[in-house]
Amino acid sequence: SKPQNDILFVHLYLSQISHFANINQHYKQFFGIHLPPSRSCVAVGSGTLPGGRRVMMDCVLQLGSGEYLRHDGTAIGNASSFLQQNIQNKQHALRKTLHVQSISNWAPVCIGPYSQANTLRSSLVFLAGMIGLIPQSMSLIEPCNVDGNRRVVDWEVQLYQSWRNAAAVLDGLEDGGGVMGGKLDDCLGGLVYISV
């Protein structure tokens, strides 16, 4: 198994958003497009990353989870003891992914080579970063008037849509028993990036 297959979440920081398309190509080469990790990608501005770097990342991984995800369920006698134990464990899956690859009504399609969610041991969910995209059109949501008086600013309406998108992905998860995977109330934490 390739060590990068064990990575289930990546925080990717870019000095400029103009690096996004190029970094996606390198990212795709490294991780592939089959069962990639979830990812949060943020442009932080020139001179922000240490040492003048253009890219920085940190990762969360579970050793052996890449082999588990890619195992076809046959010939477990040839598998490592770690893999055998996790395949035979019917209480929880070591790792599952959710990777929406086409336009939908319920969640935005991935705009890069990543999964919307990676679930570890049927309980800890790593969601990809969400932006205020409308799933059906893949366009950013526009601000609107509230009560005819106050105009909701861009970041407020985009933040609200981001939370709706995150909730939709959580709703789309299944724990294997037919029960939906989670809700925002279950979140332990989250990061919100706002540009000024």
Side-chain angles (χ1 to χ4, degrees), residues 40-79:
S40 174
C41 183
V42 182
V44 294
S46 293
T48 304
L49 298 177
R53 289 173 177 83
R54 292 183 290 186
V55 177
M56 187 172 87
M57 68 182 219
D58 58 74
C59 305
V60 176
L61 65 97
Q62 166 65 58
L63 292 175
S65 67
E67 184 182 13
Y68 175 89
L69 270 180
R70 289 158 179 84
H71 191 268
D72 64 5
T74 62
I76 67 169
N78 297 334

Side-chain angles (χ1 to χ4, degrees), residues 3 15 32 34-35 38 44 49 54 64 89 91 93 107 119 122 125 138 159-160 162 167 172 178-179 195:
S15 62
H34 180 63
L35 304 171
S38 300
V44 294
L49 298 177
R54 292 183 290 186
N89 184 344
Q91 300 302 311
T119 304
S122 296
V125 179
M138 291 299 291
L159 178 62
Y160 177 75
S162 298
V179 178
S195 61

Side-chain angles (χ1 to χ4, degrees), residues 11-174:
H11 275 122
L12 185 62
Y13 303 96
L14 307 177
S15 62
Q16 296 293 320
I17 197 63
S18 60
H19 301 313
F20 186 74
N22 192 24
I23 198 69
N24 268 345
Q25 291 305 312
H26 293 287
Y27 192 92
K28 189 179 347 180
Q29 275 185 310
F30 187 73
F31 289 110
I33 58 171
H34 180 63
L35 304 171
S38 300
R39 178 180 85 184
S40 174
C41 183
V42 182
V44 294
S46 293
T48 304
L49 298 177
R53 289 173 177 83
R54 292 183 290 186
V55 177
M56 187 172 87
M57 68 182 219
D58 58 74
C59 305
V60 176
L61 65 97
Q62 166 65 58
L63 292 175
S65 67
E67 184 182 13
Y68 175 89
L69 270 180
R70 289 158 179 84
H71 191 268
D72 64 5
T74 62
I76 67 169
N78 297 334
S80 68
S81 61
F82 175 81
L83 183 57
Q84 287 179 25
Q85 289 173 352
N86 281 286
I87 290 171
Q88 293 171 351
N89 184 344
K90 303 302 178 199
Q91 300 302 311
H92 59 75
L94 175 61
R95 182 174 162 196
K96 285 179 137 181
T97 63
L98 176 65
H99 189 185
V100 178
Q101 299 179 53
S102 61
I103 301 292
S104 74
N105 289 321
W106 64 278
V109 65
C110 292
I111 57 174
Y114 60 88
S115 296
Q116 270 88 348
N118 267 265
T119 304
L120 184 62
R121 302 196 180 270
S122 296
S123 60
L124 188 57
V125 179
F126 291 87
L127 286 180
M130 301 286 167
I131 60 176
L133 293 174
I134 300 167
Q136 299 87 337
S137 66
M138 291 299 291
S139 59
L140 281 173
I141 193 164
E142 296 291 327
C144 59
N145 290 325
V146 176
D147 301 328
N149 301 326
R150 186 175 76 90
R151 184 165 170 83
V152 177
V153 294
D154 290 352
W155 73 265
E156 288 178 300
V157 73
Q158 289 177 10
L159 178 62
Y160 177 75
Q161 184 64 42
S162 298
W163 285 118
R164 287 185 60 174
N165 293 342
V169 170
L170 287 170
D171 285 345
L173 299 175
E174 189 179 319

